[in-house]
């Protein structure tokens, strides 16, 4: 069921968005060569506790997960692009790290993700991150009253196709509110003018993710991490966005 939020409720969602943005900013600054993925998860866990927030991940157990997630972050490295389960791994020079984080503050959820290169970057990784960032911006710009869900999907895909990237539509954006995942599904490819008509009060997570040379993925033996079938690297960007009469409002905007 698609739910619409009142202006007052959107105001109430802002602290969650701000908190999620602050956590991702802290993680981006902390990620460095030699830092363990479990250390990043511990940092986020501490920030959750200090804020009095609640993790959306730690007990999360959808049908595609082998068991409850058990951590508060998704940390996907290199050929891992989504749902990366943190493990005992120290980041190496040149690693492409994607971090996805969602939390609930005062009963409202926000969800966001970013990708960074640790240490010495490869230009192709920087280009992939930039393309994913541009696709997110295009999708957000299409999140306007009167447009349709397909317009968001088409805007994302247009950026990816211009760069010659393939697009997986199995996992994408979604509604956000009292829970992390709700309707509507926001695929990263679609036909303009199709789907649910965007109305004021719709709050959604828009999240393009792409791999260098494929759109095919498989689940790692950890039961969670999604990896490219050909070993190519991936990037993932996400914001929680409210559709308003004044245009799209990014609730998880980072400084």
């Amino acid at each position: 069921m698609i739910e619409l939020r009142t202006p007052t409720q959107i105001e109430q969602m802002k602290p969650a968005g701000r908190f999620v943005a602050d956590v991702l900013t802290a993680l981006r600054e902390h990620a460095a060569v030699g830092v363990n993925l479990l250390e990043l998860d511990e940092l986020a866990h501490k920030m959750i506790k200090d804020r009095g927030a609640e993790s959306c991940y730690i007990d999360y157990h959808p049908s595609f997960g082998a068991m409850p997630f058990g951590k508060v972050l998704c940390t996907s490295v290199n050929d891992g692009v989504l749902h990366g389960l943190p493990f005992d791994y120290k980041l190496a020079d040149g690693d492409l790290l994607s971090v996805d984080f969602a939390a609930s503050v005062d009963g409202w959820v926000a969800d966001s993700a970013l990708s960074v290169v640790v240490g010495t970057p490869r230009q192709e990784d920087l280009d992939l991150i930039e393309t994913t960032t541009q696709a997110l911006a295009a999708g957000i710009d299409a999140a306007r009253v009167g447009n349709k869900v397909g317009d968001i999907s088409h805007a994302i895909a247009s950026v990816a196709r211009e760069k010659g990237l393939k697009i997986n539509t199995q996992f994408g954006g979604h509604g956000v509110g009292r829970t992390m995942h709700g309707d509507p599904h926001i695929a990263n490819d679609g036909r303009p003018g199709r789907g649910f008509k965007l109305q004021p009060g719709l709050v959604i997570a828009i999240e393009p993710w792409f791999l260098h040379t494929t759109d095919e993925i498989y689940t790692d033996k950890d039961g969670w991490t999604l990896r490219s079938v050909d070993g190519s690297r991936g990037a993932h960007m996400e914001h929680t966005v409210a559709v308003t009469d004044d245009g799209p409002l990014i609730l998880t905007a980072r400084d």
Side-chain angles (χ1 to χ4, degrees):
M1 180 178 69
I2 296 175
E3 298 183 87
L4 301 178
R5 308 301 174 185
T6 66
T8 297
Q9 289 175 324
I10 290 175
E11 284 295 318
Q12 292 170 346
M13 296 184 75
K14 286 182 177 180
R18 179 74 266 160
F19 174 68
V20 167
D22 288 346
V23 171
L24 284 176
T25 295
L27 293 167
R28 181 178 58 193
E29 293 173 352
H30 194 76
V33 175
V35 172
N36 198 300
L37 297 181
L38 295 177
E39 184 179 337
L40 294 178
D41 190 72
E42 289 171 3
L43 173 58
H45 209 145
K46 182 179 184 303
M47 293 183 73
I48 289 170
K49 182 178 179 181
D50 290 347
R51 179 61 176 80
E54 294 183 8
S55 169
C56 292
Y57 291 168
I58 198 161
D59 295 321
Y60 186 53
H61 191 188
S63 60
F64 55 81
M67 64 287 188
F69 192 72
K71 303 295 182 182
V72 300
L73 287 180
C74 291
T75 53
S76 305
V77 181
N78 296 333
D79 64 318
V81 66
L82 294 175
H83 306 165
L85 184 65
F87 67 106
D88 185 12
Y89 173 80
K90 291 183 178 180
L91 292 167
D93 188 44
D95 276 347
L96 175 49
L97 170 68
S98 296
V99 181
D100 194 352
F101 178 67
S104 174
V105 175
D106 299 326
W108 294 105
V109 171
D111 190 3
S112 188
L114 57 78
S115 292
V116 296
V117 177
V118 176
T120 308
R122 303 180 186 182
Q123 187 59 50
E124 59 265 31
D125 290 341
L126 296 178
D127 291 344
L128 183 63
I129 291 172
E130 178 61 22
T131 297
T132 312
T133 301
Q134 291 176 4
L136 175 59
I140 292 172
D141 188 61
R144 297 181 181 275
V145 174
N147 281 355
K148 295 189 175 182
V149 165
D151 294 310
I152 299 175
S153 302
H154 178 73
I156 291 169
S158 295
V159 173
R161 286 206 173 88
E162 185 178 345
K163 300 298 183 180
L165 297 176
K166 297 180 179 180
I167 305 163
N168 180 299
T169 57
Q170 184 179 359
F171 294 95
H174 48 86
V176 180
R178 293 294 188 181
T179 60
M180 179 170 58
H181 288 147
D183 294 327
H185 174 66
I186 314 291
N188 288 323
D189 191 8
R191 295 173 60 184
R194 300 294 293 272
F196 179 76
K197 188 174 183 179
L198 305 183
Q199 302 173 42
L202 180 68
V203 182
I204 51 177
I206 300 174
E207 53 177 316
W209 60 275
F210 307 118
L211 298 156
H212 276 302
T213 57
T214 186
D215 61 353
E216 296 184 35
I217 53 178
Y218 72 95
T219 303
D220 186 90
K221 62 182 180 181
D222 66 13
W224 275 99
T225 306
L226 297 178
R227 299 187 179 278
S228 66
V229 297
D230 64 358
S232 63
R233 297 182 172 205
H236 177 205
M237 304 294 287
E238 177 183 17
H239 274 309
T240 296
V241 179
V243 177
T244 78
D245 286 320
D246 297 323
L249 174 64
I250 303 173
L251 298 175
T252 50
R254 296 181 291 274
D255 293 334

